[in-house]
Structures are given as structure tokens and as C-alpha cells.
Amino acid sequence: MKRSDFVARVKQHFDELPGQIRVAAGYVLDHPEDVALLSMREQARRAGVPPATMTRFAQQLGLTGFDEVRAIHAAALREAPVAYGGRAENLLRRHREVGDAGIATEMLARLSGHLTEVALPSRVEKLVEAARAMVAARRIYCLGHRSSFPAAFQFNYLLSFFDDRSVLLDATGGVGHPGMLDSGPGDVLLVICYTPAARHVVEATAFARRQGVRVVAITDSEANAIGRLAHLTLLASSQSPSFFDTVTPAFAVCETLVALIAGLHPGDVAASVARTEEKLWELGVWWREEDALPAGASASRGDEAASQAVPDPARAEAE
């Protein structure tokens, strides 16, 4: 069995699995490299379940035991061997130990690790699959809520430079997503949603599936509501050492998708981008370098005012 078939089977039966077995299933879906490389006991420890639960999980899927699950993942890993990047842990508690520069370095290291994961060959393969589906689509709907909305907006904005099939769903004014009312087979929904999922995003995604729309999800888990609704899941971690979830990996996935779509697109992408840029300049969207700065905002005057407003610690101590 290929891992893609294994994942499809787990997602199909996920809601039917008993509590502890469901926890094991979620761990296996989200940590494919660990499944291939770590012992069953170590995986059980990390998942927080007894080792026997891992065996029962495999048997629940009609497999002989967990060794078969590991074999499936080991075969997938052999096809795409990749080392993980380092990850920072407990960054906030380390502030006093490493200082401001250390915090910044560890934060960036964590983000770098997430981007390394996005670049795993198995995940790149899914990115290419998603891009091909979007190139062939009649329309491409983009959905994200709260912190995920900027990534959906970025995807839609960049794609609009050479493709007019993208529809950004933003539910302005609380009217839902009227743009999806005529959606159907042949359309693709790109949904960006992390755990815990926004209720209206789950409902909108379920509606899209009922309409026959192919769902491509950018999320942090195959096992969450969006991951289980998706036809194709693009994993991108949201974990951050700070108090907020990061959307940097989601941005990376969206921008990579646009780059892939541009390369696969049957139209004259270069000419379309050039026409769009020309119109944006004509509309005055961007500031021309030869334009004079707005009145009363010269750099020298602003710098002088700023220097007067900011106290000088050395001068204050001397006084």
C-alpha cells in the first residue's frame, strides 16, 4: 500500500475510531517521518498512548500490525530521504537566558525549520499536484479566516497578475460567501485553516465538497476538521515559540503554488503580468521615485522632530 492510500483510508475512518486510537491516528498522520524511523514504543510515548494502542490502530484499518504501518512509511521515506532542520523550544522561557538577540535568532530558526519541512520531497510532490489541479480548474476559490486571511489574500493577489479565475472569499458584512453559490465540479477551493478551526470555514468547506468542488487545504494536521474534509492536504506548521501561531509557512506554500501555477499555465504569463503592472502604474497605485514627497513630510524635518521626541538615556543620566 502506498502512503497516499494509507492516509486516505485513515481519513475515511477517522470519525469512527475510538478515542485513544484516534489520538494514535492523528499522530501517525502528522508525523510520517517519525513513523518510519522511531520504534513503536517511542511513537506511543510521543503520542501519549499505550504501545498496544498503536497495534490496535493498525488492526482497525485491516492491517496485520503496526510493523506494516511502519513499512508503508519507510518505503515512502526511502523514495524521498530528507533531514529535518533544527527547531527552537520554549523560546519565551529562554528570554532571560539568551537575551533579545537570542530570542530573535531562535524565532527565525524555528521558522526556518518549518520551511525545511514544507520543502520535503513528499510535500513538494503534493504542491505540484495542487498546482496542476488549479491550472485545470474552472475557478479557484480562496478562503482563510482571521490570521489565515492574509495568506489567502496574498495567493489571490499574486495570481490576479496573470489569471482572472481566482475568487477571494472574505464574507464582508457577514453575508457569508455568495461567490460560492454557483460553485461546482471543475472548481478548486484553496482553504487555509489551522487548529482550532473557525466554524464558518469548516461549514463553507463542507458546502464546497457537497457542490463537487475539489478542496486543497493548507493546515497543520491531516486529522483536524479541515484536513479530513480536504481532498489534498498541504501540511504547514503553525507552531511558534511566541504567544501567537505563525502563518509564515502558509505564506510560503501560497507563494510557491503561485510560482508553480505560473510555470504550468497555458497562457502567456509574462505578457499578462506586464499588462497588469502597466495598468497599476496608470492607476497610480505605486509611488514613483521621481515624485516629490507629500508637503510637510521632508526627510530632514522628520528626522529632526524624531530626534527631539526620543529621549537620550545618556543625557538623562548626566542630568
Side-chain angles (χ1 to χ4, degrees), residues 193-251:
C193 186
Y194 288 95
T195 307
R199 179 174 295 277
H200 93 270
V201 173
V202 175
E203 292 171 347
T205 304
F207 171 80
R209 280 206 60 139
R210 292 196 297 271
Q211 297 295 106
V213 176
R214 181 171 175 79
V215 177
V216 175
I218 300 175
T219 187
D220 56 342
S221 173
E222 294 266 17
N224 66 18
I226 293 298
R228 285 162 22 227
L229 284 170
H231 295 93
L232 180 62
T233 303
L234 307 177
L235 287 176
S237 179
S238 64
Q239 292 181 356
S240 166
S242 190
F243 67 93
F244 52 81
D245 290 339
T246 179
V247 292
T248 298
F251 271 99

Side-chain angles (χ1 to χ4, degrees), residues 245-295:
D245 290 339
T246 179
V247 292
T248 298
F251 271 99
V253 171
C254 286
E255 293 175 357
T256 302
L257 280 174
V258 174
L260 287 169
I261 293 169
L264 295 166
H265 203 280
D268 190 340
V269 171
S272 296
V273 171
R275 283 194 300 270
T276 301
E277 283 185 311
E278 183 180 351
K279 291 175 182 177
L280 289 172
W281 279 116
E282 183 181 348
L283 286 168
V285 171
W286 294 316
W287 188 269
R288 295 183 183 275
E289 289 302 317
E290 61 269 23
D291 293 342
L293 291 174

Side-chain angles (χ1 to χ4, degrees), residues 89-111:
E89 295 289 341
N90 303 319
L91 185 57
L92 292 179
R93 291 189 300 177
R94 287 177 51 78
H95 202 145
R96 289 190 296 272
E97 300 174 7
V98 300
D100 296 340
I103 289 293
T105 299
E106 291 187 1
M107 179 75 181
L108 293 170
R110 173 67 70 90
L111 294 177

